[in-house]
Amino acid sequence: MSIFSPVGNWFKAPTGTERLWVGLALTWCLIMSVTMPYWHFKGKQNSTGESYKVEASAFLDRANQFIESNKVGEEKGVPIVEPSPGGDAYLVGEMWRWYPILKLKKGQTYRLHISSPDLQHGFSLLPMNMNFHILPGYDHVLTITPTSTGDFEIICNEFCGIGHHMMTGKIIVE
Amino acid sequence: MEEERKPPLGQRILDNMWLLLALGLAVPTISYTLWGIIELISMGDATLP
């Protein structure tokens, strides 16, 4: 509350040019507000928010089992894993690495399960700039269909400690 | 002296600091905090297929 209140009726509805500019700003706000949910459902690079509760140890066990049964190679000590097309794939983000390296096929759809056993990380897929929070205790499921071939780098974009800048991973699409 | 008219709606809202405080607390609590808590409570367990 101000020290000195205005006297009488101070409120004046905008008129003329002010009304025009307020109207334009409001219209633009409404357009942007509608665009956000529209793009959430119609855009093809968004998470649907599918996630489940999971024990960190259970997720790690499942991810390691997935790695053992689908491993096709190794790069600098990190397993390269090729999930079956249309199947489930697992990715672990922990201090300070993403593993395994996933080898996917262009045009095939996968259900990518991502979680962390320690603390919050940021899954950031380059160069298409897809970003998702990865939280311990939650299995975040992304349904993905690669549309181009190449090597796609994963970095962590949520500061997670002294090795944060070294936390990189990779998805290979053939 | 001219009798003062009833203040317009915009003025009555903007001059009501308790209403503004209540709205400022209620809107984020319902649309953000409560919504998030409901999402967490209703989240199912992972099957890890």
Side-chain angles (χ1 to χ4, degrees):
Chain A
M1 185 176 267
S2 58
I3 298 171
F4 302 107
S5 297
V7 179
N9 290 346
W10 54 265
F11 186 88
K12 302 279 184 286
T15 55
T17 318
E18 186 186 6
R19 187 185 180 90
L20 173 71
W21 283 107
V22 170
L24 283 174
L26 181 64
T27 306
W28 186 240
C29 284
L30 292 172
I31 289 171
M32 290 175 75
S33 298
V34 171
T35 303
M36 280 189 283
Y38 170 79
W39 196 246
H40 177 79
F41 294 107
K42 286 290 177 186
K44 291 182 177 173
Q45 296 191 352
N46 303 304
S47 166
T48 54
E50 184 181 352
S51 46
Y52 305 95
K53 285 179 195 164
V54 72
E55 288 288 327
S57 56
F59 189 88
L60 277 181
D61 289 346
R62 181 65 187 96
N64 288 326
Q65 186 193 350
F66 162 74
I67 292 167
E68 276 171 31
S69 52
N70 295 281
K71 187 175 171 182
V72 293
E74 203 170 284
E75 188 179 310
K76 293 177 185 168
V78 183
I80 301 172
V81 175
E82 189 170 353
S84 53
D88 293 84
Y90 290 82
L91 182 69
V92 179
E94 64 178 10
M95 293 190 288
W96 292 283
R97 62 176 182 159
W98 295 100
Y99 78 95
I101 293 170
L102 294 169
K103 201 174 196 179
L104 309 178
K105 295 236 181 294
K106 180 185 166 186
Q108 295 289 339
T109 299
Y110 301 86
R111 278 169 56 81
L112 176 57
H113 300 252
I114 316 177
S115 190
S116 158
D118 42 43
L119 42 76
Q120 180 172 351
H121 297 283
F123 172 91
S124 185
L125 188 66
L126 304 178
M128 56 273 302
N129 195 25
M130 294 169 75
N131 300 283
F132 305 105
H133 277 162
I134 305 304
L135 295 156
Y138 296 97
D139 171 20
H140 192 166
V141 185
L142 301 170
T143 302
I144 58 166
T145 309
T147 53
S148 54
T149 57
D151 289 3
F152 300 90
E153 197 181 3
I154 306 166
I155 60 165
C156 179
N157 64 3
E158 193 71 44
F159 183 71
C160 57
I162 197 154
H164 166 66
H165 62 290
M166 297 186 295
M167 188 172 167
T168 57
K170 192 160 67 173
I171 293 178
I172 302 165
V173 181
E174 291 183 331
Chain B
M1 193 174 174
E2 191 183 331
E3 190 184 340
E4 197 164 288
R5 287 174 297 136
K6 188 180 175 187
L9 180 64
Q11 180 169 334
R12 275 182 281 150
I13 291 171
L14 293 173
D15 274 347
N16 190 337
M17 66 174 182
W18 297 112
L19 173 71
L20 297 179
L21 175 65
L23 282 174
L25 292 173
V27 170
T29 301
I30 293 166
S31 67
Y32 190 83
T33 311
L34 204 61
W35 189 358
I37 289 170
I38 290 168
E39 286 250 321
L40 287 178
I41 290 171
S42 59
M43 187 179 285
D45 291 330
T47 55
L48 304 176

